[in-house]
């Protein structure tokens, strides 16, 4: 039914316009208590066996909404209503910024993919912090806050920009993510080099500890799928050394592998990050490498090309305690999280594992 609706309505609209239209409907529905309760009852049924504990937080399940969908934290309850177990808002930057000129989001329908060069369009950390501070949560969903660098801030001053956002936002975050992996802010991904990443993560950790008393806000770093293997290992080692809580793998890719070339070739040349189905293999590969390096010492979050329960299950077996998705939501629609939960519960119940936690990283423990 959704696919028919997608073809009829959304496919005819500009992708970014379609996003805001759908977003408006979700927010509107979430504001009407009867409707909200009804939708949540249908779309977010709870499977007890999927209950997840990660980063010291309790969640209904392992499946969250990846960063970039709700950049300004305006639809946390709306997205919770649709069944996501955690919502990662952002990326939020130190200062507000409009992002890149439009058109900056492209749908590759046949490839079940997106290319975006949004460029961190967001209202800035002061406005988002104020919104989160004033929020009366309807659903007690875990909220992650993903922060990035303001475009006009030079690379050498990046840490101060992240620290500013941390000071404003950490108190409102169940967990905090340092995003150094978007391809759409010039120079941002250079911050993944350990000589830049070490002082950056140290400064953010200290800022979080300074600004939040009574609890330690879990800190994660989100990495690109385009890192070379040695660099993935280096980030993993650094994360362990610094006592980071997690690594999110992965962001979008600048590569154009895995595209069918039969669908929308005119779009393949668009600059930006590719997400969705073509990213699946590489994201899984990065996750496997990370798990081989850090094991259970750090929480791994698998994201990139997850389309269905089988994909999510494969990430868990590869070492992810949490999984996230974005692009497939555009193609699968509002029943997506429900289908993932149902399929995950079925897989777990027919697996040799008693709990999801037991399944995490099981592939790596299999005799070769
Ligand atoms: C339109 C769009 C905007 C995004 N914006 C952000 C962002 O602001 N910050 C971020 O960390 N990731 C962002 N992402 C990346 C996603 O969070 C995710 O890592 C990536 O899309 C891979 O997952 P997917 O294949 O399920 O979409 C964005 C992705 C898309 C498609």
């Amino acid at each position: 039914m959704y696919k028919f609706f997608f073809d009829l309505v959304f496919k005819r609209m500009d992708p970014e316009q379609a996003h805001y239209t759908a977003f408006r409907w979700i927010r509107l529905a979430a504001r009407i208590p009867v409707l909200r309760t009804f939708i949540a009852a249908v779309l977010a049924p709870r499977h007890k066996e999927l209950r997840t504990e990660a980063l010291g937080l309790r969640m209904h399940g392992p499946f969250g909404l990846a960063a970039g969908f709700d950049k300004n934290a305006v639809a946390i309850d709306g997205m919770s209503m649709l069944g996501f177990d955690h919502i990662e808002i952002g990326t939020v930057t130190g200062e507000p910024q409009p992002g890149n000129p439009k058109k900056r989001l492209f749908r590759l329908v046949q490839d079940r993919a997106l290319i975006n060069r949004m460029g961190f369009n967001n209202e800035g950390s002061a406005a988002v912090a104020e919104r989160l501070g004033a929020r009366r949560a309807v659903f007690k969903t875990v909220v992650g806050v993903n922060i990035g660098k303001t475009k006009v801030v030079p690379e050498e001053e990046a840490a101060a920009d992240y620290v500013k956002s941390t000071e404003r936002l950490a108190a409102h975050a169940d967990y905090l993510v340092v995003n150094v992996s978007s391809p759409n802010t010039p120079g941002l991904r250079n911050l993944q080099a350990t000589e830049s990443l070490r002082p950056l993560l140290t400064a953010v950790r200290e800022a979080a500890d300074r600004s939040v008393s009574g609890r330690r806000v879990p800190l994660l770093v989100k990495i690109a799928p385009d890192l070379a293997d040695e660099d993935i290992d280096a980030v993993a080692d650094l994360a362990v050394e610094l006592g980071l809580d997690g690594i999110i793998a992965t962001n979008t890719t600048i590569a154009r592998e895995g595209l069918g070339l039969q669908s929308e070739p005119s779009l393949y040349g668009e600059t930006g990050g590719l997400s969705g189905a073509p990213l699946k293999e590489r994201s899984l590969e990065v996750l496997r490498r990370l798990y081989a390096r850090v094991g259970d010492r750090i929480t791994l979050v698998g994201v990139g090309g997850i389309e269905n329960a089988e994909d999510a299950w494969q990430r868990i077996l590869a070492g992810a305690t949490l999984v996230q998705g974005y692009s497939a939501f555009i193609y699968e629609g509002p029943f997506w999280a429900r289908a993932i939960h149902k399929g995950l519960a079925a897989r777990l119940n027919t697996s040799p594992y008693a709990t999801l936690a037991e399944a995490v990283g099981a592939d790596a423990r299999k005799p070769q």
Side-chain angles (χ1 to χ4, degrees):
M1 201 167 81
Y2 174 75
K3 292 209 165 117
F4 176 72
F5 184 77
F6 177 86
D7 284 344
L8 199 74
V9 181
F10 288 149
K11 214 169 142 181
R12 291 162 200 252
M13 293 169 81
D14 167 74
E16 191 169 347
Q17 211 45 52
H19 173 83
Y20 293 127
T21 302
F23 212 44
R24 220 172 296 126
W25 292 342
I26 293 166
R27 292 170 61 190
L28 191 69
R31 256 185 248 130
I32 306 168
V34 189
L35 192 56
R36 178 175 71 215
T37 308
F38 173 74
I39 296 174
V42 175
L43 298 182
R46 304 304 183 192
H47 298 262
K48 282 202 178 83
E49 61 272 48
L50 297 183
R51 278 186 191 153
T52 300
E53 213 171 313
L55 306 168
L57 304 163
R58 290 217 180 102
M59 307 176 211
H60 289 294
F63 185 53
L65 180 69
F69 196 89
D70 186 5
K71 288 182 188 278
N72 295 308
V74 293
I76 296 170
D77 281 318
M79 300 316 289
S80 307
M81 170 187 84
L82 299 186
F84 291 97
D85 302 312
H86 68 268
I87 314 286
E88 191 170 309
I89 64 129
T91 292
V92 183
T93 53
E95 298 303 323
Q97 58 182 27
N100 289 322
K102 295 176 184 168
K103 195 176 168 179
R104 53 191 181 178
L105 175 62
F106 306 89
R107 273 187 306 238
L108 285 65
V109 182
Q110 305 288 330
D111 289 299
R112 307 191 310 281
L114 300 171
I115 291 177
N116 92 83
R117 51 168 178 269
M118 305 298 289
F120 293 165
N121 53 309
N122 80 104
E123 294 174 16
S125 53
V128 174
E130 198 181 317
R131 180 167 300 125
L132 286 171
R135 178 173 174 250
R136 300 269 164 272
V138 178
F139 299 105
K140 303 267 174 270
T141 312
V142 162
V143 177
V145 176
N146 177 309
I147 56 173
K149 184 182 81 67
T150 309
K151 186 178 178 184
V152 295
V153 168
E155 224 173 295
E156 317 79 70
E157 291 164 31
D161 195 59
Y162 281 89
V163 163
K164 187 197 290 180
S165 295
T166 303
E167 287 168 349
R168 290 170 174 163
L169 289 163
H172 308 294
D174 289 318
Y175 69 85
L176 200 62
V177 182
V178 169
N179 179 11
V180 280
S181 48
S182 164
N184 301 314
T185 297
L188 188 87
R189 300 187 326 156
N190 298 340
L191 299 173
Q192 291 175 112
T194 47
E195 56 278 19
S196 304
L197 196 54
R198 184 190 304 277
L200 173 61
L201 291 173
T202 306
V204 170
R205 177 73 270 164
E206 286 170 4
D209 292 343
R210 255 197 328 271
S211 26
V212 185
S213 55
R215 78 184 166 107
R216 185 180 167 281
V217 182
L219 181 64
L220 296 83
V221 64
K222 183 167 178 179
I223 64 169
D226 306 316
L227 286 178
D229 286 349
E230 319 77 83
D231 297 329
I232 296 171
D233 293 346
V235 172
D237 293 348
L238 181 67
V240 172
E241 183 199 318
L242 297 180
L244 231 63
D245 300 275
I247 304 177
I248 304 185
T250 68
N251 213 310
T252 58
T253 178
I254 53 167
R256 292 293 180 262
E257 272 135 43
L259 290 166
L261 290 172
Q262 81 284 11
S263 51
E264 295 96 349
S266 62
L267 298 180
Y268 294 169
E270 291 293 349
T271 307
L274 174 70
S275 58
L279 184 56
K280 191 177 302 197
E281 213 173 299
R282 178 59 187 159
S283 288
L284 180 57
E285 205 173 71
V286 173
L287 176 67
R288 280 194 207 290
R289 190 162 189 101
L290 286 171
Y291 191 72
R293 198 85 181 175
V294 303
D296 299 322
R297 287 178 292 175
I298 284 184
T299 299
L300 298 180
V301 184
V303 52
I306 293 178
E307 298 184 281
N308 50 44
E310 181 56 25
D311 294 335
W313 180 239
Q314 290 308 323
R315 299 300 158 108
I316 290 166
L317 295 178
T321 302
L322 298 175
V323 288
Q324 298 180 332
Y326 182 148
S327 300
F329 181 58
I330 309 300
Y331 298 118
E332 299 296 324
F335 286 86
W336 187 43
R338 183 180 196 271
I340 298 240
H341 284 130
K342 208 168 154 215
L344 266 183
R347 274 162 184 77
L348 178 62
N349 292 334
T350 52
S351 78
Y353 316 110
T355 61
L356 268 189
E358 233 177 74
V360 172
D363 271 357
R365 292 189 291 274
K366 269 193 203 145
Q368 296 302 309

